[in-house]
Amino acid sequence: MTGSTPVLSLANIHKAFDGVIAIEDFSLDLYPGEIVALVGDNGAGKSTLIKMISGVYSPTSGTVRLEGDEVSFADASSARSRGIEVVYQDLALADQQPVYMNMFLGRELTKPPFGLLDKERMRQETQALVDELDVRIPSASSTIRDLSGGQRQGIAIARATHWASKLILLDEPTAALGVAETARVEELVARLRARNLAILIISHSLDQVFRLSDRICVLRRGQQIGIRKTVETNKNEIVSMITGVHAPA
Amino acid sequence: MTLAYQKLKSFDLQQGVIYIGFLAIFLFFALTLHDDGFLTSRNLTNIVLQTAPATIMAIGLVFALSAGEIDLSFGSVVAVSALSAAVVMQHFPMPVGILAGLGAGLAIGAFNGALVAYGRLPSFLVTLATMGLFAGIARTMTDLRSIPVLNENFTGLFGSGKLLSVPSLVIWTAIAVGIGHIVYRNTRLGAHVLAVGDNARAAQVSGIKVARVRLYVLTLCGGCAGLAGLLYAGRLQAAKYTLGESDLMTVIAAVIVGGTALNGGKGSVIGALLGSLLMGMLNNGLILMGLDVSDQMIVRGLIILLAVAVSLRDTSR
Ligand SMILES: Nc1ncnc2c1ncn2[C@@H]1O[C@H](COP(=O)(O)OP(=O)(O)OP(=O)(O)O)[C@@H](O)[C@H]1O
Ligand SMILES: [Mg+2]
């Protein structure tokens, strides 16, 4: 894994909002086919970090490299056009539209000669994708509003999978879900590893982090505390890294 | 059949109510006003002709509401456009007059749209203000005078003319509804309008140019009102500041009854057409019943209230 070039390489990233430091000297390399978990308490700077990768914010200083090229995204669209997709903490789905229109939101397929929407093809491609990823929904024509939270998050992840060529960023994808739905979303995320995408996932659930990730990166109040291989660490160590309090042996 | 059951389950009462309401009111008038000539083809054609301007404005409003915006100014735009066309045609040939009328509508729409999209002001307040502003401008344009429209090409094209014995107002309605429906349902612009009205943030992060969509829908409303102004001027062979004055309630009611959501993300152009015809039918039927104007207003208000209540009832749970 470490032999290949990183998909994403962050070096010495700083971010300040009006002088208030949100991220201080953050560095991380992400490789294809690996899942890295980003953990830390509320306000640690996790979402801010993801927004810098996805082009919503730009770092105050530091470099972002995508497959070795230094990049600076002006907005989310330019990051997307380079193969980076985000699944947001609060779902970015249009509730009253069908699943297939959400799958192609902003990138709708059209057909000649008049450039009208090719709804049939969007529906079919969506159906194929949700079948392949085993996202269980009634049909690709279902309206988002009629789906459960887990199904919706499944759609959001399927959409990211469909469009991401390099990197998927997940910001607390299961925060609003119940136990069974969380399990299904986790299965889905784990299956993405096989697609050779790099995945960065934010989660407050350490159980989830230990089930899913290859490496764990800890943030505390904007400081990067450390990175551990999941198999070489344990919850006690991660908890004490998050809180700064050493757990009693 | 499970398929038939799915179809039945997915039947949307909010959007379907217009078909039922339309039929019910049609049947009611057909039975009660049979002897008063409601069902004559002449009367029915008249309803379509009379509703043509409202239908066209309703199409613009379907787009605006679907994008989560509203236009309250279109009534005033109608007057400004009709007067612009009429005044210009006193000195210039017809095409210049048409351009002036449509151009005035589009320009006012773009003005509303720019304030909403780039000035980040709520469309309700912007168009409430421009409604008053342009109503005033319409009054001062000709000192409250009515301007005759004598150009026969113009009155034929936008009023009394026919093509293959189809009245021009029917043709305008059909063209506007046809194009409106296709753009709304089958183009990327239509999809973006719905996405912006449904979840503007989702649209934004999906790369949809949200501000531009807002600008477009309000400009379209202005353009539709401009065309409606030309139709009024053509049919009445005159333009006056009062044109469009009473259309605000009718058009909004037509659109809402037609299944378009007030808060965006959902709507129907065909529904708006039926809604507009329904309003025209009500007007017509109440007149044939011999109600005087004040009673007509009361009954119409009550029926609209009922229709809107039914079509806005949350049927999703
Ligand atoms: N747009 C902004 N303007 C100013 N300060 C901000 C902005 N966005 C984030 N911050 C600040 O940056 C810090 C990190 O916030 P961030 O949202 O990244 O935390 P987080 O780790 O995602 O927390 P949570 O677990 O609660 O989601 C916080 O102190 C927050 O107040
Ligand atoms: Mg966060």
Side-chain angles (χ1 to χ4, degrees), chain B residues 91-107:
Chain B
H91 309 287
F92 297 97
M94 178 181 79
V96 188
I98 295 175
L99 281 181
L102 281 182
L106 288 169

Side-chain angles (χ1 to χ4, degrees), chain A residues 46-47 89 171-172 202:
Chain A
K46 305 178 298 293
S47 294
Q89 191 166 3
D171 193 345
E172 299 189 43
I202 295 178

Side-chain angles (χ1 to χ4, degrees), chain B residues 3-177:
Chain B
L3 199 77
Y5 175 68
Q6 285 238 333
K7 269 253 160 66
L8 199 69
K9 240 185 75 176
S10 72
F11 178 78
D12 188 332
L13 187 59
Q14 268 181 32
Q15 303 218 321
V17 74
I18 181 62
Y19 296 96
I20 299 161
F22 186 85
L23 265 179
I25 291 191
F26 182 83
L27 286 176
F28 176 75
F29 284 143
L31 292 174
T32 57
L33 294 172
H34 187 76
D35 299 330
D36 298 297
F38 177 78
L39 274 185
T40 58
S41 66
R42 187 190 160 83
N43 188 52
L44 295 179
T45 315
N46 233 340
I47 293 176
V48 181
L49 298 186
Q50 271 163 1
T51 52
T55 301
I56 286 168
M57 286 184 268
I59 295 168
L61 195 61
V62 168
F63 279 84
L65 287 181
S66 297
E69 304 298 335
I70 193 165
D71 185 3
L72 300 174
S73 70
F74 54 80
S76 308
V77 178
V78 165
V80 171
S81 300
L83 283 168
S84 304
V87 169
V88 166
M89 275 190 297
Q90 286 182 324
H91 309 287
F92 297 97
M94 178 181 79
V96 188
I98 295 175
L99 281 181
L102 281 182
L106 288 169
I108 297 172
F111 178 69
N112 285 335
L115 286 174
V116 171
Y118 303 109
R120 291 171 183 267
L121 299 170
S123 54
F124 181 85
L125 294 178
V126 166
T127 59
L128 187 65
T130 54
M131 169 173 74
L133 174 65
F134 290 101
I137 287 177
R139 282 158 187 260
T140 55
M141 271 174 86
T142 60
D143 284 330
L144 306 186
R145 271 180 299 120
S146 163
I147 305 295
V149 176
L150 303 173
N151 186 319
E152 283 179 7
N153 288 331
F154 185 88
T155 55
L157 184 58
F158 294 107
S160 55
K162 287 184 175 174
L163 184 70
L164 303 171
S165 78
V166 183
S168 65
L169 288 172
V170 174
I171 297 177
W172 281 113
T173 305
I175 293 174
V177 170

Side-chain angles (χ1 to χ4, degrees), chain B residues 181-308:
Chain B
H181 177 74
I182 290 172
V183 170
Y184 190 76
R185 281 260 180 274
N186 292 303
T187 66
R188 296 190 71 200
L189 176 63
H192 294 178
V193 165
L194 285 165
V196 168
D198 199 334
N199 185 343
R201 206 185 74 90
Q204 181 85 54
V205 299
S206 303
I208 293 170
K209 305 264 188 287
V210 173
R212 198 182 296 173
V213 168
R214 291 180 174 143
L215 173 68
Y216 284 169
V217 293
L218 286 163
T219 306
L220 176 71
C221 276
C224 287
L227 179 56
L230 297 182
L231 297 181
Y232 272 127
R235 190 160 65 88
L236 304 174
Q237 308 192 348
K240 201 174 181 211
Y241 71 90
T242 51
L243 291 180
E245 222 173 26
S246 59
D247 285 337
L248 185 63
M249 182 177 78
T250 315
V251 172
I252 292 181
V255 170
I256 300 299
V257 169
T260 297
L262 251 183
N263 44 9
K266 182 171 147 182
S268 164
V269 170
I270 304 292
L273 166 69
L274 290 178
S276 175
L277 290 173
L278 181 73
M279 294 301 142
M281 220 157 60
L282 269 180
N283 242 353
N284 182 272
L286 295 177
I287 292 171
L288 289 183
M289 281 179 154
L291 270 64
D292 62 35
V293 177
S294 49
D295 289 343
Q296 279 176 40
M297 286 170 72
I298 292 171
V299 173
R300 199 154 50 104
L302 289 175
I303 292 180
I304 291 175
L305 203 57
L306 180 74
V308 169

